[in-house]
Amino acid sequence: MDINEKYLLWKNQSLSDYDLTKELYEISENNEEIKDRFYKDLSFGTGGIRGIMGAGSNRMNVYTVAKATQGLSNYIIKHFDIPSVAIAYDSRIKSDVFAKEASSVFASNNIKVYLYKELMPTPSLSFAIRNLKCCAGIVVTASHNPSEYNGYKVYGKDGCQITADAADSILTEINNVDIFNDVKRMEFSSAIETGMIEFINEDVIDAFLKAVSSQSLNKDIKNKENLKIVYTPLNGSGLRCVTKILTMNGYTNLTVVPSQKDPDGNFPTCPYPNPEIKEALSEGLKICKQNDADLLLATDPDCDRVGIAVKHNNDYKLLSGNEVGVLLFDYICKMRIEHNAMPEDPVCMKTIVTTDMIYPIAKKYGVNVIDVLTGFKFIGEQIGLLESKGQDNRYIWGFEESYGYLSGSYIRDKDGVNASLLICEMTAFYRNKGLSLCDVLNELYKEFGYYKNVLKNFTFPGVSGFEKMQNIMKQFREAPPLDINGKSVISLSDYLNSIKILNNGQKEIITLPSSDVLKFELVDNISVVIRPSGTEPKLKVYISVVSNSKEDSQCLAESFENFFEKLI
């Protein structure tokens, strides 16, 4: 079926969503708009589905959601005798509608549904799957994307995002579903009445918060009620759980940013609701200055990530995900040792694009570092492997440079609720010593070296852009440079072909899953990672350098940035 045939098929359907019908008629004379909506189906992968909302097979709408859910249902039925799923959703436009649509499809396939009755953070979904012993779960969200996007992430029975093999099998099932003829549905109200859909009760939420609270390492910190905290959920799903976890642990001097407090999928004051971006925190920084606050916390719309700004020298400094991750790791190690709570053979996990500064700190505290591919699901997978050996207590910390953190094995995903609590605890601890987090970070830099991490994004839109991106990766892989920016290459790790090649010609097997990623280790403890984005037409270059001074480190990082600007 060609593009126009697909368009006419949709246009001639009696669609239940008037907005979709209206959109289809409005684009009837615009071939480019028709093409963009119908030239492909929404892609399904380990992150589930995600896309711009609207009409068409390449858009997020109740029909593409239902088709994906029917395919997922078919997969679940084949693999589980008594199937059940948990569902959560965030504040995005139509997230609640998509959650109900998915619930109705699951229910019509005799799959028991446990649905949160209000928007909840993504980590609470991972928790519910394990708590309720479900076979799978979904959370309707597009994470930190702009307001026109939505999607849903798919989780396995372990509470971790699905593996590549599971995603491939589910995709096969989805591709066999006719979007208008093969999807089973039942009325949401009928499914509630028959018990096929059941709202998740408060006991599960309380258990989640109790599990997060158990991660506190210093419950008796003095003056924590005086720590001035400003929090913004960025109009997302974090309000209830983050404010609750802080107040129940004694952090009561808490102000929520009024303009970003209530759920709003339009994100009116932060069009790009990403806590990595300073503009998203501008409303919170205003309140910080008004209140003379010590700390700003900002969680993304599905509350699995958190960004911060800290008061330092009468101003507010934003800290990167790498910096917060390093600070928390050092704090966790200190507190565990102080309270005699460090397990035997402790483990920290990080993604391969996360700061190398973790290695010398881990060496100091006797912690083993496990590197995984980009994506917190790989950290979750490693926690599961430890649990299968009865060793999950060895896990003390996991993080990624994109503001994702987790300190316990109670879930299998990053947790903005957990991180918010630990950040406040750590800030209060050092505040009592007359130190800001910037002071502590500078002490760590003096001890371990001034690490600087930079992410460069190179955009390649369209089909031709995708091909160019592939050719760049091919060239780096097949004709790897002997030096980069004047620094000799020590080794090349090719994660696609699962091999590490040393500069003396020796080869080592990489045991991580295959992925289109290249990591170059250079002299002077410098590393460069290159990979295509899994969700956007971008080539990502991660640069990690270290020097004896902040200035030298900055200059070195800038020289690498300029090198890749010219090269790519």
Side-chain angles (χ1 to χ4, degrees):
M1 188 181 298
D2 66 23
I3 291 171
N4 284 323
E5 287 175 330
K6 288 175 73 175
Y7 166 68
L8 291 174
L9 174 66
W10 277 66
K11 185 180 178 183
N12 294 329
Q13 293 289 324
S14 297
L15 302 181
S16 59
D17 188 330
Y18 171 76
D19 291 342
L20 301 183
T21 301
K22 181 183 177 186
E23 183 180 334
L24 290 168
Y25 276 91
E26 286 175 346
I27 65 171
S28 60
E29 303 299 323
N30 192 325
N31 289 331
E32 282 302 310
E33 291 293 336
I34 292 172
K35 180 181 179 181
D36 192 46
R37 286 162 176 77
F38 291 97
Y39 82 97
K40 66 170 186 173
D41 291 348
L42 274 182
S43 58
F44 183 94
T46 57
I49 56 174
R50 182 182 300 180
I52 295 171
M53 287 179 286
S57 60
N58 188 33
R59 292 287 188 271
M60 278 293 296
N61 53 66
V62 291
Y63 294 94
T64 52
V65 166
K67 177 180 177 178
T69 307
Q70 183 61 57
L72 178 55
S73 296
N74 293 344
Y75 169 85
I76 290 171
I77 290 167
K78 287 182 178 179
H79 290 83
F80 300 96
D81 295 329
I82 308 175
S84 62
V85 298
I87 300 179
Y89 59 93
D90 70 4
S91 63
R92 287 183 176 272
I93 297 167
K94 295 192 175 181
S95 278
D96 57 339
V97 175
F98 295 159
K100 287 184 177 180
E101 182 72 10
S103 297
S104 297
V105 174
F106 283 129
S108 68
N109 283 275
N110 291 317
I111 297 173
K112 173 78 175 187
V113 176
Y114 296 96
L115 172 67
Y116 278 111
K117 64 175 68 174
E118 61 184 288
L119 71 170
M120 289 292 288
T122 287
S124 67
L125 184 277
S126 178
F127 182 85
I129 292 170
R130 289 161 56 81
N131 183 272
L132 297 169
K133 296 179 172 54
C134 294
C135 305
I138 64 170
V139 56
V140 182
T141 180
S143 190
H144 55 277
N145 283 82
S147 60
E148 61 266 28
Y149 283 81
N150 212 330
Y152 74 49
K153 302 176 187 176
V154 181
Y155 290 74
K157 68 176 183 177
D158 57 355
C160 193
Q161 286 192 53
I162 55 171
T163 63
D165 289 342
D168 289 342
S169 298
I170 294 167
L171 177 59
T172 298
E173 297 291 347
I174 293 172
N175 288 339
N176 290 330
V177 173
D178 183 285
I179 197 166
F180 293 119
N181 297 316
D182 293 343
V183 177
K184 299 177 182 178
R185 289 182 177 86
M186 69 185 301
E187 288 293 329
F188 182 82
S189 57
S190 298
I192 290 285
E193 290 173 6
T194 60
M196 287 305 299
I197 298 176
E198 181 180 324
F199 288 117
I200 295 173
N201 62 40
E202 290 293 317
D203 290 346
V204 176
I205 300 172
D206 291 343
F208 169 65
L209 292 172
K210 183 178 180 181
V212 174
S213 189
S214 72
Q215 296 305 306
S216 172
L217 295 164
N218 201 340
K219 292 185 181 294
D220 299 323
I221 292 177
K222 296 179 180 179
N223 302 315
K224 58 184 174 182
E225 68 278 3
N226 296 323
L227 183 72
K228 291 184 180 179
I229 305 161
V230 172
Y231 168 61
T232 171
L234 296 180
N235 300 115
S237 63
L239 180 65
R240 176 179 177 180
C241 287
V242 172
T243 56
K244 179 69 173 178
I245 202 68
L246 294 182
T247 54
M248 68 188 282
N249 280 277
Y251 300 93
T252 53
N253 196 338
L254 179 63
T255 301
V256 180
V257 177
S259 61
Q260 297 174 340
K261 178 180 180 180
D262 297 325
D264 189 340
N266 292 299
F267 308 114
T269 60
C270 51
Y272 199 73
N274 185 347
E276 296 180 68
I277 297 174
K278 185 175 182 179
E279 288 74 17
L281 307 186
S282 59
E283 292 289 299
L285 289 170
K286 290 178 189 176
I287 305 298
C288 281
K289 291 171 184 176
Q290 291 171 12
N291 293 8
D292 191 31
D294 298 298
L295 174 69
L296 171 65
L297 297 171
T299 51
D300 63 342
D302 67 327
C303 194
D304 59 356
R305 303 188 306 146
V306 58
I308 72 170
V310 298
K311 185 181 179 184
H312 183 68
N313 293 337
N314 295 316
D315 200 3
Y316 291 90
K317 178 175 173 55
L318 276 65
L319 298 186
S320 71
N322 280 318
E323 289 172 329
V324 174
V326 162
L327 282 165
L328 283 169
F329 177 54
D330 181 72
Y331 171 75
I332 288 168
C333 290
K334 283 178 180 174
M335 291 300 99
R336 281 184 171 269
I337 290 171
E338 183 178 315
H339 297 120
N340 197 29
M342 184 69 87
E344 187 177 345
D345 197 15
V347 172
C348 167
M349 301 175 188
K350 74 172 190 69
T351 61
I352 58 175
V353 299
T354 299
T355 181
D356 294 339
M357 190 175 178
I358 206 73
Y359 301 126
I361 299 174
K363 184 178 180 180
K364 173 184 176 180
Y365 292 112
V367 178
N368 181 41
V369 178
I370 296 177
D371 281 286
V372 299
L373 294 176
T374 307
F376 214 91
K377 60 179 173 284
F378 295 111
I379 293 177
E381 184 179 51
Q382 289 295 320
I383 297 172
L385 290 174
L386 287 177
E387 185 181 54
S388 69
K389 302 174 186 176
Q391 300 176 3
D392 51 309
N393 67 309
R394 292 175 55 203
Y395 171 80
I396 64 169
W397 185 236
F399 78 111
E400 58 186 3
E401 42 72 46
S402 56
Y403 294 65
Y405 318 102
L406 179 67
S407 69
S409 61
Y410 59 97
I411 60 169
R412 296 290 182 270
D413 208 347
K414 52 187 176 285
D415 186 359
V417 186
N418 170 219
S420 294
L421 173 60
L422 289 179
I423 289 166
C424 290
E425 180 177 298
M426 174 175 65
T427 305
F429 175 80
Y430 288 121
R431 184 175 180 267
N432 287 338
K433 296 177 179 291
L435 299 172
S436 73
L437 293 187
C438 293
D439 294 326
V440 181
L441 186 61
N442 287 331
E443 288 180 1
L444 292 175
Y445 283 143
K446 288 176 184 176
E447 183 176 358
F448 299 106
Y450 287 83
Y451 283 78
K452 178 72 176 177
N453 292 80
V454 177
L455 168 60
K456 293 291 292 181
N457 287 306
F458 298 92
T459 304
F460 296 89
V463 176
S464 61
F466 177 78
E467 292 175 352
K468 184 176 181 180
M469 197 160 55
Q470 294 297 106
N471 286 333
I472 291 172
M473 291 298 294
K474 182 179 180 182
Q475 186 174 352
F476 272 118
R477 182 170 280 115
E478 295 182 355
L482 298 178
D483 69 83
I484 297 176
N485 192 31
K487 298 289 185 178
S488 298
V489 175
I490 296 174
S491 68
L492 166 61
S493 295
D494 180 353
Y495 291 91
L496 184 65
N497 294 307
S498 302
I499 192 163
K500 180 176 182 177
I501 305 170
L502 307 182
N503 59 359
N504 61 5
Q506 288 186 326
K507 296 180 180 180
E508 300 174 0
I509 300 299
I510 295 174
T511 57
L512 297 179
S514 177
S515 182
D516 191 8
V517 181
L518 295 170
K519 181 172 183 176
F520 295 89
E521 292 181 72
L522 316 180
V523 294
D524 300 331
N525 292 319
I526 298 168
S527 68
V528 174
V529 178
I530 305 172
R531 73 176 184 92
S533 169
T535 57
E536 301 169 284
K538 290 180 179 179
L539 191 68
K540 293 177 174 282
V541 179
Y542 301 82
I543 301 162
S544 177
V545 304
V546 60
S547 189
N548 292 325
S549 73
K550 183 178 181 180
E551 293 74 19
D552 288 348
S553 183
Q554 181 69 37
C555 289
L556 186 57
E558 288 177 357
S559 73
F560 272 86
E561 288 185 80
N562 293 333
F563 173 83
F564 280 102
E565 285 279 3
K566 294 175 182 177
L567 182 68
I568 296 179

